[in-house]
Amino acid sequence: MPLLELTADGFRLGDTPLRIISGGLHYFRVHPGQWADRLHKARLLGLNTVETYVPWNLHAPTPGEFRLDGGLDLPRFLDLAAAEGLHVLLRPGPYICAEWDGGGLPGWLLAEETIRLRSRDPRFLAAVDGYLAALLKPLRPYLSTAGGPVIAVQLENEYGAFGSDTAYLAELAALLRRHGVDVPLFTCDQPGDLGPGGLDGVLRTVNFGSRVAEGLAALRALQPTGPLMCSEFWIGWFDRWGAAHTSRDPADAAADLGRLLAADASVNIYLLHGGTNFGCTNGANDKGRYRPTVTSYDYDALLDEAGDPTPKYHAFREVIARHAPVPADPVPGPGPKLTPRTVELTETAGLLAQSPQLGRAVEADHPLTMEQLGQSFGFVQYETELPEAGPTVLRVGQVRDRAQVFVDGQPVGTLEREHQEHALAFTAPRPGARLAVLVENQGRINYGPGIHDRKGLLGPVTVNGRALQGWRSRPLPLDNLDALAFTPATPVVGPAFHRGGFELDRPADGYLALPGWTKGLAWINGFPLGRYWSRGPQATLYLPGPALRPGRNELTVLELHATASPTVELRDRPDLGPTQE
């Protein structure tokens, strides 16, 4: 495939003009067994391109490690895109936002106390250099100049909303070129950030969800010639815990798509398919108050969380057909779903009692952060002894993000960052009583200056005004539960794992509902489904069919508080909560 060329008013591949009509599809938010299905539906929509971010923090979970296996097999994803005849816009960051933990930046970067992310800090740039070297070497055959599907690579991501150091962007551009990227680079920013977010010699593109003419005019004011492109045309939005599910009227979104295409602009629809923040990978925002993002990344996209075409998909297909060829093949209907049933969880394992099986404690005079422990996701369990009996006030400098407090194994309260809580009063039963604090990383901030978001207990921890010392900090990433010893279900005080099984003749997509449960995580056959929380809006977790198997399937739920019933429900439709447009 030839090099993508930028003309005075568009793109060209060889002798052929190209208008990019793309849709966002993040491979790391989709079970790899479903990549081909989602890409096929992209082509049926009339897209000629797909866009994906690359999450540095998943590919490099520890310094010096780099993974391209399983759900991170990006070369396989690119092969499947090419098999559908789709071009690819690759967005490797290093920062990606994406409502993803830390904007994709690895938590281990924050073990350096004074590091400045998204800057020319030599420590950050050295880490970026290593990341791009590991990522781009196996991807060079996938660049269009080598016959592959990748026609352009994004430089950083919405940098104009964060900073204005063009020398930093120039350093990143030089690193991309040094590691073999010889296709066009581009930046993307919201209309008001196009100036500081761009770099001379690199194509600027604009992000917006409405007010098409104004957005394109802002881009043309800074870039008088060259392709007009909206790199993120927002057709929905993400949800946060404690709010309503966000949606956008299909006709309204389709009308704005029509305006974009009528202006001869190229577009990347954000999103074709949102997918799921599996495990503990969701991000968070903080504009005065910490707000974690939910597990579902449905985003009110064109394909729902199970990959089924929505009314918005069909509305967009009609608009695209007025401006570009659309395949005549019929669009498939909804895929098969599980038959609804109730599943009893018949075994339990207490988390506090079995935490030594899940992580090794590190002793220090003060609580260690998750990053100091070499951990990215999950929980940290802190333990020490209380010096005296009687009325006690525990004070913590900062809770990042949700701390459950136990004395001799009994729950005495919870401190939440979202509510800016720092102190808890209780009665210590005896001198030397065991204090345990279980802290959940609810998602690192993914946007703005708050990305330097270390997790755990930060700052001084005191009891009745005196500093507590002699801490044991135990990392609990919960990425492998094989060491847990389950027993027949009995009442457990405090957080506990619950396990049960069910039989299937034929796997299919489904949804897990937990009525009567409070907050926690769920796994199916060891695959991490994500977080649930009774505060909503999300009330079901998506069960991808490829994570199931014929015969017996094993469901594990970690409940952090208490459950009214040892049963859960498998459903055939999602419940993402009450809708707000």
Side-chain angles (χ1 to χ4, degrees):
M1 184 184 298
L3 176 71
L4 180 71
E5 297 180 26
L6 281 57
T7 68
D9 58 358
F11 298 103
R12 180 179 292 275
L13 268 178
D15 296 328
T16 307
L18 174 69
R19 188 224 291 265
I20 295 172
I21 304 179
S22 174
L25 172 59
H26 304 156
Y27 61 96
F28 49 93
R29 281 180 160 134
V30 183
H31 192 287
Q34 298 168 324
W35 289 346
D37 172 82
R38 308 307 192 252
L39 290 163
H40 182 61
K41 289 168 180 169
R43 184 179 66 80
L44 293 182
L45 178 65
L47 303 183
N48 56 29
T49 306
V50 291
E51 162 269 310
T52 186
Y53 282 123
V54 180
W56 180 8
N57 57 357
L58 286 197
H59 285 283
T62 60
E65 179 183 6
F66 199 81
R67 294 183 52 198
L68 284 172
D69 60 325
L72 297 174
D73 191 348
L74 180 52
R76 176 174 171 263
F77 178 82
L78 297 175
D79 282 331
L80 292 170
E84 286 289 347
L86 294 165
H87 308 304
V88 175
L89 300 174
L90 191 69
R91 307 172 77 187
Y95 163 82
I96 63 172
C97 184
E99 291 72 60
W100 188 256
D101 183 271
L105 299 173
W108 48 261
L109 290 170
L110 297 173
E112 293 272 5
E113 290 189 10
T114 59
I115 195 169
R116 291 175 292 115
L117 305 177
R118 303 180 74 185
S119 80
R120 284 182 286 154
D121 184 322
R123 295 165 295 180
F124 179 66
L125 288 179
V128 172
D129 189 17
Y131 157 59
L132 292 177
L135 172 69
L136 293 173
K137 183 177 180 180
L139 295 190
R140 284 176 201 154
Y142 293 91
L143 298 174
S144 66
T145 47
V150 177
I151 57 173
V153 172
Q154 185 173 297
L155 173 66
E156 241 271 356
N157 186 65
E158 291 191 325
Y159 178 69
F162 180 84
S164 58
D165 184 6
T166 54
Y168 162 65
L169 294 178
E171 290 270 12
L172 292 184
L175 286 176
L176 288 168
R177 295 304 190 199
R178 189 182 312 153
H179 291 298
V181 174
D182 56 2
V183 298
L185 302 179
F186 66 99
T187 59
C188 75
D189 288 281
Q190 297 179 43
D193 301 323
L194 284 164
L199 180 66
D200 289 346
V202 172
L203 177 70
R204 284 178 165 91
T205 69
V206 65
N207 297 348
F208 53 74
S210 60
R211 301 175 63 184
V212 173
E214 291 90 331
L216 294 180
L219 177 59
R220 192 50 91 206
L222 273 171
Q223 190 167 263
T225 63
L228 274 177
M229 181 164 179
C230 177
S231 280
E232 288 187 16
F233 172 49
W234 307 317
I235 65 169
W237 206 244
F238 58 92
D239 294 340
R240 64 173 176 84
W241 292 111
H245 171 53
T246 304
S247 68
R248 183 177 179 186
D249 179 67
D252 175 67
D256 274 337
L257 175 66
R259 294 182 184 101
L260 260 170
L261 296 179
D264 290 329
S266 289
V267 62
N268 176 57
I269 299 161
Y270 200 91
L271 288 148
L272 165 70
H273 177 51
T276 308
N277 296 316
F278 291 119
C280 297
T281 55
N282 64 277
N285 284 277
D286 192 335
K287 297 180 180 180
R289 176 171 291 186
Y290 175 79
R291 303 287 198 187
T293 302
V294 303
T295 299
S296 172
Y297 200 61
D298 173 87
Y299 206 87
D300 198 32
L302 303 183
L303 300 175
D304 68 16
E305 200 170 1
D308 293 333
T310 65
K312 194 179 289 183
Y313 178 99
H314 293 283
F316 273 45
R317 193 169 188 254
E318 291 179 9
V319 171
I320 292 170
R322 296 199 288 267
H323 297 270
V326 169
D329 313 47
V331 175
K337 302 295 185 293
L338 293 176
T339 301
R341 68 177 74 189
T342 298
V343 177
E344 185 175 3
L345 305 186
T346 58
E347 299 175 295
T348 59
L351 172 60
L352 297 183
Q354 297 207 32
S355 62
Q357 311 305 316
L358 300 171
R360 179 179 298 177
V362 179
E363 296 186 359
D365 287 339
H366 59 276
L368 301 177
T369 66
M370 181 173 281
E371 294 75 21
Q372 289 171 325
L373 292 167
Q375 180 185 356
S376 295
F377 305 105
F379 298 74
V380 178
Q381 180 180 325
Y382 298 100
E383 290 183 306
T384 189
E385 285 73 43
L386 294 171
E388 56 191 15
T392 301
V393 177
L394 173 70
R395 292 190 181 276
V396 179
Q398 296 184 66
V399 174
R400 300 260 181 105
D401 300 305
R402 191 173 188 271
Q404 294 172 251
V405 183
F406 305 86
V407 176
D408 282 345
Q410 298 298 310
V412 296
T414 301
L415 297 172
E416 297 194 53
R417 176 184 185 180
E418 185 171 359
H419 302 306
Q420 301 175 353
E421 296 168 331
H422 300 278
L424 182 67
F426 55 87
T427 299
R430 60 184 179 85
R434 183 168 60 91
L435 174 69
V437 184
L438 182 66
V439 179
E440 178 184 3
N441 167 3
Q442 292 186 285
R444 290 183 182 83
I445 292 169
N446 56 255
Y447 188 83
I451 58 173
H452 298 80
D453 191 12
R454 295 167 177 86
K455 298 301 185 180
L457 297 180
L458 278 64
V461 180
T462 64
V463 164
N464 295 337
R466 297 196 300 273
L468 280 176
Q469 295 185 332
W471 287 90
R472 296 176 295 282
S473 303
R474 188 183 307 276
L476 300 174
L478 304 185
D479 50 4
N480 189 329
L481 306 181
D482 291 346
L484 289 173
F486 284 86
T487 61
T490 54
V492 178
V493 175
F497 296 91
H498 304 260
R499 188 172 71 181
F502 58 94
E503 299 286 331
L504 283 179
D505 293 330
R506 184 175 302 166
D509 287 346
Y511 302 90
L512 173 66
L514 298 105
W517 297 67
T518 304
K519 189 180 195 303
L521 296 161
W523 296 259
I524 184 70
N525 299 325
F527 182 87
L529 298 176
R531 309 179 207 255
Y532 66 91
W533 199 352
S534 59
R535 73 183 293 197
Q538 182 176 357
T540 55
L541 292 175
Y542 172 57
L543 280 167
L548 302 170
R549 57 197 176 210
R552 183 170 176 80
N553 291 265
E554 185 177 87
L555 181 64
T556 304
V557 176
L558 169 61
E559 168 57 50
L560 295 172
H561 294 279
T563 176
S565 168
T567 61
V568 298
E569 299 175 10
L570 301 183
R571 296 182 181 174
D572 58 1
R573 62 190 64 189
D575 181 357
L576 298 180
T579 298
Q580 172 183 301
E581 292 190 4

